[in-house]
């Protein structure tokens, strides 16, 4: 039944390293009468009946798919999009007035970086 069934989506490679969290979510959902089914993104695209989806896959298209079906997705596609792009995330945090580390885009020439080493280098799509 749709009302008491939800999906928890992880890439296969992430399941074991997140096992503790998966087990806690499943346990807490069960305490509230919700059957939380663990699926991969590939399996999730075949699903059309769920009360909601917890998308831990970082797949923006998957969230958009469920939104198109009218199924609430946590995280929604916009959150996934911004969360998957560290520079976009930085700009959003600045706009919201949240404190962030000094940041420059990755294509900034080394001689134009306005601070000195040591510093963190992170890919925009890193997580």
């Amino acid at each position: 039944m749709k009302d008491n069934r939800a999906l928890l989506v992880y890439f296969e490679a992430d399941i074991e390293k997140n096992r503790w969290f998966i087990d806690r979510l499943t346990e807490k959902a069960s305490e509230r009468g919700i059957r939380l089914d663990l699926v991969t993104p590939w399996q999730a695209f075949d699903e059309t009946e769920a009360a909601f989806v917890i998308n831990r896959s970082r797949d923006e298209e998957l969230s958009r798919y469920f939104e198109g079906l009218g199924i609430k997705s946590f995280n929604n596609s916009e959150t996934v999009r911004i969360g998957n792009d560290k520079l976009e995330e930085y700009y959003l945090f600045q706009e919201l007035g949240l404190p962030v580390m000094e940041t420059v885009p990755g294509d900034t020439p080394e001689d134009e970086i306005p601070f000195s080493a040591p510093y963190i280098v992170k890919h925009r799509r890193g997580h």
Side-chain angles (χ1 to χ4, degrees), residues 3-44:
D3 292 341
N4 73 340
R5 180 174 181 256
L7 302 175
L8 175 58
V9 185
Y10 272 95
F11 280 110
E12 251 182 73
D14 294 330
I15 290 174
E16 282 315 307
K17 65 183 169 187
N18 291 285
R19 178 54 63 189
W20 181 89
F21 188 63
I22 291 167
D23 290 346
R24 294 300 77 71
L25 283 176
T26 304
E27 175 186 320
K28 294 300 179 185
S30 179
E31 289 173 6
R32 289 163 178 76
I34 299 167
R35 188 178 97 213
L36 189 60
D37 292 338
L38 177 62
V39 296
T40 67
W42 325 122
Q43 294 166 325

